[in-house]
């Protein structure tokens, strides 16, 4: 009788372990989407630039922090100048708008619109 209980207990533990293992394998094999992480990182970059340069303004359809440091839309890319730091690629469209406190950068990737915010001067 004691041996039967031990065997049943071992079977239950084994079944639980197998169930957990299959669920873990299913989670691990699914690709991880980095889009939310990219979005948060880019917004953090904009917030840092806004804080360091005390805001930005729109000049010739560019968001500029200084006379040379700007966010530019060029060849379907969002670029940080000077230089050519590519922030986003494969943009289908880009629109800039502003209110009293913020500059909004709206862009379209894969038929979906996204928005970033930059503090105005």
């Amino acid at each position: 009788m004691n041996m039967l209980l031990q065997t049943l207990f071992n079977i239950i533990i084994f079944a639980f372990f197998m169930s957990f293992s299959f669920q873990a394998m299913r989670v691990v094999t699914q690709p991880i989407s980095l889009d939310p992480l990219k979005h948060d990182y880019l917004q953090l970059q904009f917030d840092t630039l806004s804080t360091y340069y005390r805001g930005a303004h729109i000049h010739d359809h560019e968001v500029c922090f200084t006379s040379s440091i700007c966010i530019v839309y060029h060849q379907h890319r969002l670029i940080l100048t000077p230089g050519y730091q590519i922030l986003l690629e494969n943009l289908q469209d880009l629109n800039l708008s502003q209110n009293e406190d913020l500059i909004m950068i709206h862009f379209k990737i894969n038929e979906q619109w996204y928005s970033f915010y930059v503090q105005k001067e």
Side-chain angles (χ1 to χ4, degrees), residues 2 13-14 16 19 25 39 50 56 71 74-75 79 81 86 89-91 93 97 99-100 105 108:
N2 192 17
I13 290 175
F14 179 74
F16 176 74
S19 173
M25 285 186 341
H39 187 275
S50 293
I71 299 168
H74 183 253
Q75 295 181 348
I79 308 297
T81 61
I86 300 171
E89 292 184 298
N90 302 322
L91 301 179
D93 197 5
S97 62
N99 63 20
E100 296 172 0
I105 303 171
K108 187 176 176 183

Side-chain angles (χ1 to χ4, degrees), residues 34-100:
L34 294 178
D35 289 342
L37 184 59
K38 284 182 188 177
H39 187 275
D40 292 344
Y41 178 72
L42 192 54
Q43 184 63 59
L44 179 63
Q45 280 184 299
F46 293 157
D47 292 344
T48 302
L49 287 167
S50 293
T51 301
Y52 187 74
Y53 294 107
R54 295 189 180 113
H57 62 279
I58 295 177
H59 177 70
D60 291 336
H61 204 65
E62 298 175 355
V63 178
C64 294
F65 299 95
T66 67
S67 61
S68 63
I69 299 174
C70 297
I71 299 168
V72 179
Y73 178 61
H74 183 253
Q75 295 181 348
H76 303 286
R77 295 176 175 160
L78 195 62
I79 308 297
L80 181 63
T81 61
Y84 202 81
Q85 180 184 355
I86 300 171
L87 302 173
L88 288 171
E89 292 184 298
N90 302 322
L91 301 179
Q92 295 168 327
D93 197 5
L94 180 101
N95 295 317
L96 300 177
S97 62
Q98 58 185 331
N99 63 20
E100 296 172 0

Side-chain angles (χ1 to χ4, degrees), residues 13-28:
I13 290 175
F14 179 74
F16 176 74
F17 174 75
M18 290 302 293
S19 173
F20 178 76
S21 297
F22 284 125
Q23 288 177 5
M25 285 186 341
R26 187 175 49 104
V27 168
V28 170

